[in-house]
Amino acid sequence: MKSEWNKKYFDRRSYLLEHFHELSLSGNDLLFILMLDYLNEGKSDSESLDIQELAKCLKRSEMDVMNTLARLVDDQKLELINTGRSVSYSLRPLFEDDFTADEIPQSLFDLFLEQFKRPLSSTEMDKLCNWMKEYEQEFIICALREAVVYKKLNFNYIDKILVTWKANGKTLEELNGK
């Protein structure tokens, strides 16, 4: 199971907004899940979900909130976590099998964060994951370096660099001037 969706650098909410149709979520379910994620932020797994707070934020009855939670668990959109002392809900089923950011070495990820000076979107994370499957890490770093030099710091430009280098059969030795 992939667990990168739960890391602080992964923007779950942007991912959900960008992919809610693919995840078969209605607009109401999306809003519900986003609010649940927001209210769960900073809470430990041992803290129970506050149904009253969620109902108040969504302007719904507590019964409606409990029914929605039960339906989303049944539809495998949320995971119920019952520790005996607390009950919480995880978004894990929405991200399972969809995200493979654990294939990105931390040093490469940090390098992109440093150069872009902002969090990467889920689309950019997906593109970075795909590059890791197709290119050596050093190729990706060289392409990033070239984008920085030419002040064209965007993923489409970096992708074009990588595709061109691959089509032309460039080697790391050539790129590093050796």
Side-chain angles (χ1 to χ4, degrees), residues 104-127:
I104 303 171
Q106 189 65 39
S107 59
L108 181 62
F109 178 77
D110 289 340
L111 186 60
F112 269 81
L113 283 181
E114 178 185 314
Q115 293 302 319
F116 277 77
K117 295 179 182 17
R118 63 171 173 76
L120 302 180
S121 72
S122 60
T123 304
E124 291 169 334
M125 293 289 288
D126 289 342
K127 183 154 306 249

Side-chain angles (χ1 to χ4, degrees), residues 96-156:
E96 191 175 80
D97 300 325
D98 287 330
F99 192 71
T100 57
D102 60 341
E103 296 171 12
I104 303 171
Q106 189 65 39
S107 59
L108 181 62
F109 178 77
D110 289 340
L111 186 60
F112 269 81
L113 283 181
E114 178 185 314
Q115 293 302 319
F116 277 77
K117 295 179 182 17
R118 63 171 173 76
L120 302 180
S121 72
S122 60
T123 304
E124 291 169 334
M125 293 289 288
D126 289 342
K127 183 154 306 249
L128 194 50
C129 288
N130 290 334
W131 290 341
M132 287 301 300
K133 292 174 188 172
E134 192 167 344
Y135 306 102
E136 291 179 44
Q137 181 176 335
E138 287 299 316
F139 265 88
I140 298 168
I141 292 170
C142 288
L144 175 62
R145 191 179 322 134
E146 182 145 328
V148 168
V149 166
Y150 288 103
K151 295 182 173 54
K152 295 189 179 202
L153 200 58
N154 68 65
F155 273 72
N156 289 334

Side-chain angles (χ1 to χ4, degrees), residues 11 13 18 30-31 36 40 48 67 95 99 107 121 127 130 132 137-138 153 163 165 173 177:
D11 186 354
R13 294 177 197 140
E18 291 171 10
L30 175 64
L31 177 62
L36 176 67
N40 279 338
S48 284
N67 288 337
F95 300 98
F99 192 71
S107 59
S121 72
K127 183 154 306 249
N130 290 334
M132 287 301 300
Q137 181 176 335
E138 287 299 316
L153 200 58
V163 168
W165 286 349
E173 290 77 25

Side-chain angles (χ1 to χ4, degrees), residues 4-5 7-12 15 95 99 122 125:
E4 291 299 308
W5 66 272
K7 304 289 186 191
K8 63 181 172 183
Y9 58 75
F10 180 69
D11 186 354
R12 292 184 305 277
Y15 180 88
F95 300 98
F99 192 71
S122 60
M125 293 289 288

Side-chain angles (χ1 to χ4, degrees), residues 24 27 32 39 41-43 48 51 61 70 80 83 90 95 108 142:
S24 303
F32 188 94
L39 293 175
E41 193 170 61
K43 288 186 178 179
S48 284
I51 299 289
S61 70
L80 172 67
T83 64
S90 170
F95 300 98
L108 181 62
C142 288

